[in-house]
């Protein structure tokens, strides 16, 4: 299809919102059709280009998601859980693709996306990068190959302004490890160690979160046994990897049947 996909961006003033604008501008297959911010934000009513300190571009920032969807084929959303649920409902009503990169969603919040996904395409992932999704698959396979003599630890690092921990990516990796082991992450997860904790429980999947500076994203999965360690690692040095992945997801979703998808679907990595 030669017509560029028209994409609305929510949370457009944030780090990812701005990155998405720049990354879409560099992609001949897509264009920014609408820009959304929360009510009361000082960008509301302004031209997006001028708000970003650039020439006018003819897109006015709005707080009305329905208006944004009316002129768009898809919406890319890196905001907050409650907002993403609301956007999913609006996108489903409009029959538009919804790509969700929002992290920190609880199981109950994710479950609220089930109904919208029956009416429109939703692509949701804790991390949109190709490398991370390959790491997820590797983690699952290594966990399946090694017994519980190998302790599993997921170590993640992000910038100091990140509000959720463990990161969505760390939880993806933990879920992959648990699936490989044939256990439930809910029962195997160990997220808090402080004081006299006692010995590590065999079979647990541990999490450690580092926050500081401008770290974009670093994730290690360590398999530690007596005498050896195996470490799988991914380092994001440029936030644009997440934007490129989200745009790839939106383009892939065009014309797909309604449903809930993830980046493994987009990248053709899902196991049958």
């Amino acid at each position: 299809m030669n017509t560029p996909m028209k994409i609305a961006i929510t949370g457009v003033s944030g780090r990812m919102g701005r990155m998405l604008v720049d990354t879409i501008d560099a992609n001949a297959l897509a264009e920014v059709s609408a820009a959304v911010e929360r009510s009361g934000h000082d960008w509301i009513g302004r031209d997006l280009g001028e708000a970003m300190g650039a020439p006018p571009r003819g897109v006015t920032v709005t707080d009305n998601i329905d208006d944004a969807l009316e002129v768009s084929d898809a919406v890319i959303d890196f905001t907050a859980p409650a907002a993403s649920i609301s956007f999913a409902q609006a996108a489903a009503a409009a029959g538009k693709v919804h790509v969700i990169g929002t992290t920190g969603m609880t199981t109950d919040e994710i479950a609220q996306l089930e109904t919208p996904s029956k009416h429109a395409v939703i692509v949701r992932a804790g991390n949109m990068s190709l490398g991370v999704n390959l790491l997820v698959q590797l983690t699952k396979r290594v966990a399946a190959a090694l017994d519980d003599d190998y302790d599993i630890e997921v170590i993640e690092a992000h910038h100091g302004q990140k509000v959720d921990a463990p990161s969505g990516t760390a939880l993806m990796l933990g879920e992959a490890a648990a699936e490989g082991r044939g256990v439930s992450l809910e029962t195997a997860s160990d997220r808090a160690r402080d004081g006299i904790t006692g010995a590590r429980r065999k079979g647990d999947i541990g999490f450690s979160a580092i926050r500081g500076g401008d770290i974009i994203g670093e994730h290690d999965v360590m398999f530690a046994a007596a005498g050896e360690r195996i470490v799988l690692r991914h380092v994001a040095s440029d936030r644009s990897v997440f934007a490129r992945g989200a745009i790839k997801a939106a383009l892939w979703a065009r014309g797909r049947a309604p449903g809930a998808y993830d980046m493994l679907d987009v990248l053709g990595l899902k196991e049958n």
Side-chain angles (χ1 to χ4, degrees):
M1 190 174 293
N2 294 325
T3 305
M5 188 176 202
K6 297 181 182 299
I7 298 178
I9 302 171
T10 62
V12 72
S13 72
R15 276 187 295 255
M16 276 306 304
R18 292 170 183 254
M19 180 62 71
L20 282 163
V21 172
D22 292 340
T23 308
I24 290 172
D25 284 348
N27 191 321
L29 299 178
E31 65 181 44
V32 177
S33 55
V36 181
E37 260 302 342
R38 65 187 182 279
S39 297
H41 194 281
D42 60 10
W43 282 24
I44 301 298
R46 297 178 62 189
D47 181 273
L48 175 60
E50 293 178 339
M52 293 181 66
R57 57 189 301 148
V59 173
T60 301
V61 181
T62 180
D63 60 0
N64 189 315
I65 185 63
D66 294 323
D67 288 349
L69 288 167
E70 188 174 347
V71 296
S72 305
D73 302 310
V75 56
I76 297 180
D77 169 26
F78 286 78
T79 55
S84 292
I85 292 167
S86 177
F87 295 146
Q89 293 164 348
K96 304 298 176 72
V97 170
H98 187 192
V99 177
I100 304 175
T102 300
T103 61
M105 298 186 79
T106 65
T107 302
D108 288 343
E109 288 167 336
I110 293 170
Q112 292 181 57
L113 300 175
E114 181 177 350
T115 297
S117 73
K118 294 177 181 178
H119 304 281
V121 175
I122 294 179
V123 182
R124 188 192 70 84
N127 192 299
M128 294 283 176
S129 87
L130 170 60
V132 160
N133 283 277
L134 288 171
L135 179 61
V136 168
Q137 293 296 87
L138 287 171
T139 296
K140 179 180 174 181
R141 293 185 181 188
V142 173
L146 301 175
D147 62 25
D148 61 8
D149 284 338
Y150 287 79
D151 298 325
I152 303 175
E153 292 286 322
V154 181
I155 306 103
E156 53 103 342
H158 284 87
H159 57 86
Q161 302 305 307
K162 187 170 177 60
V163 299
D164 58 307
S167 69
T169 303
L171 292 173
M172 284 172 61
L173 293 167
E175 288 284 3
E179 188 174 348
R181 280 269 171 94
V183 299
S184 164
L185 183 61
E186 185 176 352
T187 57
S189 178
D190 182 2
R191 304 190 192 181
R193 296 175 185 146
D194 186 31
I196 307 301
T197 62
R200 189 186 199 282
R201 192 175 65 177
K202 191 170 185 178
D204 274 358
I205 298 172
F207 290 84
S208 298
I210 298 165
R211 297 288 178 267
D214 61 355
I215 301 170
I216 292 174
E218 300 179 5
H219 294 85
D220 292 343
V221 184
M222 178 189 299
F223 298 83
E228 67 176 352
R229 284 176 290 169
I230 301 165
V231 181
L232 307 178
R233 177 162 231 234
H234 180 269
V235 176
S237 57
D238 185 338
R239 200 175 300 278
S240 67
V241 300
F242 311 127
R244 290 196 299 271
I247 295 164
K248 183 180 181 71
L251 294 170
W252 174 89
R254 196 175 200 175
R256 300 273 172 183
Y261 302 93
D262 59 25
M263 284 302 288
L264 297 181
D265 293 303
V266 174
L267 299 171
L269 296 174
K270 183 152 283 185
E271 297 178 351
N272 295 323

